[in-house]
Amino acid sequence: MSESAKPHHPTPQGKGEKTHGSDFSYVGIDAILEQMRRKAMKQGFELNIMVVGQSGLGKSTLMNTLFKSKVSRKSVQPNPEERIPKTIEIKSISHDIEEKGVRMKLTVIDTPGFGDQINNENCWQPIMKFINDQYEAYLQEEININRKKRIPDSRVHCCIYFIPPTGHCLRPLDVEFMRRLSKVVNIVPVIAKADTLTLEERDYFKQTIREELRANGIDVYPQKEFDEDAEDRLINDKIREMIPFAVVGSDQEYQVNGKRILGRKTKWGTIEVENIAHCEFAYLRDLLIRTHMQNIKDITGSIHYETYRVRRLNESNAHFSTHPSDHPDVQPKANGQPEEQPSALQANGVAAQLEALSHEM
């Protein structure tokens, strides 16, 4: 058959791919971005946010404002007996949110009762236990022989800590909580109900808090040691200069200059939640959702969870090496030959599995 008579079979073109007919040097490596986008759109995303602070600081309202939906428990009014919990309770509420075809499973973990008691000694322990329990659940799914193709992620990705707008300094409770929890989770401190402070009081309060955080060795998100390059360092330095964010939350809409805005209406005017001249809510939203969400999840998995995983695997290996009498390796058979017991086989198998996992990851 002559060259001109050969049939032409066009190469199938993937959705969203561009043609490069005359570019013979084009390989198509950049198409991986489109493949990743399509896969992510199918799977959806997960985000778990914990909110911590004493009652009355607007935690539920701020979460509803961040995601422009009723994602928190504000509508549930407790009876007088349950209004102030006797102990710290951990309550998780999950929601499926979709925007422009992008699906996200959002879980809000509330901690009612934190800081509301007369004696708040060790009140961070239930929160610490909850965070570690989620790491443990994820670890147990990982070390299963027949583990799931996609492990459900209930790990806490970010903890928003609400600081009362006193205008003076951090309370010992605030310092102790952030000092302990910053080692196991990403903490983003915010000044709640910042509209109760003047601009001068707010700036002074923010500066005082930053100095106290440095003095107590508390690393809040974004942590300096996790900056990947100079560009990230430049962006994150600007964010660190604004921390803690002075925020105002509201799920009420008002008409201002012909536009519908979220805000708080007072006798002397309307405080616009998304106006950066009024508060720093927009900066907090951008950090959590629009610019650093994936980085927050990456640090949770590669730093905080990894630290917990290594510690647990070391504990398991140490247990098997220091308690050999609990699992006898051999027992003599009738003919004098050693016989390995099933319990020893099982223990050695678990140890080998944990060791293999530690090398694998």
Side-chain angles (χ1 to χ4, degrees), residues 158-310:
C158 180
C159 173
I160 304 179
Y161 187 76
F162 287 70
I163 300 172
T166 61
H168 300 292
C169 61
L170 290 175
R171 302 170 300 170
L173 174 61
D174 302 326
V175 173
E176 193 64 21
F177 176 88
M178 287 190 282
R179 186 179 67 82
R180 291 175 179 268
L181 270 293
S182 62
K183 296 178 175 61
V184 297
V185 71
N186 298 309
I187 290 185
V188 178
V190 300
I191 300 174
K193 296 189 174 181
D195 53 329
T196 61
L197 300 172
T198 66
L199 294 180
E200 292 78 11
E201 291 173 339
R202 190 176 76 181
D203 291 341
Y204 173 77
F205 193 29
K206 285 163 64 74
Q207 180 63 30
T208 302
I209 291 174
R210 284 194 292 268
E211 291 175 357
E212 290 193 61
L213 292 176
R214 283 193 295 267
N216 290 279
I218 300 172
D219 289 329
V220 297
Y221 184 84
Q223 301 91 332
K224 284 185 178 181
E225 61 267 31
F226 302 147
D227 293 341
E228 296 182 356
D229 51 37
E231 182 181 359
D232 283 349
R233 191 177 304 110
L234 183 63
I235 295 173
N236 291 338
D237 280 343
K238 294 180 180 179
I239 296 174
R240 285 186 278 263
E241 291 174 359
M242 288 188 290
I243 285 178
F245 298 104
V247 298
V248 176
S250 175
D251 47 15
Q252 297 294 322
E253 290 188 351
Y254 297 97
Q255 193 84 13
V256 177
N257 298 328
K259 296 188 300 181
R260 300 289 295 179
I261 58 99
L262 288 172
R264 291 168 55 86
K265 193 171 184 178
T266 65
K267 292 182 179 180
W268 50 88
T270 302
I271 302 166
E272 301 176 25
V273 169
E274 297 181 320
N275 189 338
I276 59 175
H278 293 186
C279 73
E280 296 172 339
F281 167 83
Y283 295 125
L284 174 65
R285 179 192 57 199
D286 290 349
L287 176 74
L288 295 177
I289 303 174
R290 300 184 179 181
T291 61
H292 286 65
M293 178 191 293
Q294 189 58 48
N295 184 254
I296 288 173
K297 296 177 65 176
D298 289 344
I299 290 179
T300 298
S302 61
I303 304 297
H304 297 306
Y305 169 70
E306 188 69 13
T307 302
Y308 178 86
R309 187 186 70 86
V310 170

Side-chain angles (χ1 to χ4, degrees), residues 33-49:
L33 297 176
E34 179 62 20
Q35 297 172 38
M36 294 173 63
R37 188 192 71 84
R38 289 201 301 268
K39 183 177 181 179
M41 292 283 284
K42 290 179 181 179
Q43 292 181 345
F45 301 90
E46 295 174 319
L47 180 64
N48 307 320
I49 297 181

Side-chain angles (χ1 to χ4, degrees), residues 145 320 324 326-331 338-353:
I145 296 177
F320 289 120
D326 296 342
H327 305 283
D329 290 337
V330 295
Q331 291 291 337
E339 177 182 9
E340 191 165 4
Q341 297 298 310
S343 60
L345 287 172
Q346 184 178 4
N348 292 337
V350 174
Q353 182 182 354

Side-chain angles (χ1 to χ4, degrees), residues 52-59 113-116 161-162 164 171 173-174:
V52 179
Q54 67 186 51
S55 301
L57 293 181
K59 301 186 296 294
F114 177 83
D116 292 341
Y161 187 76
F162 287 70
R171 302 170 300 170
L173 174 61
D174 302 326

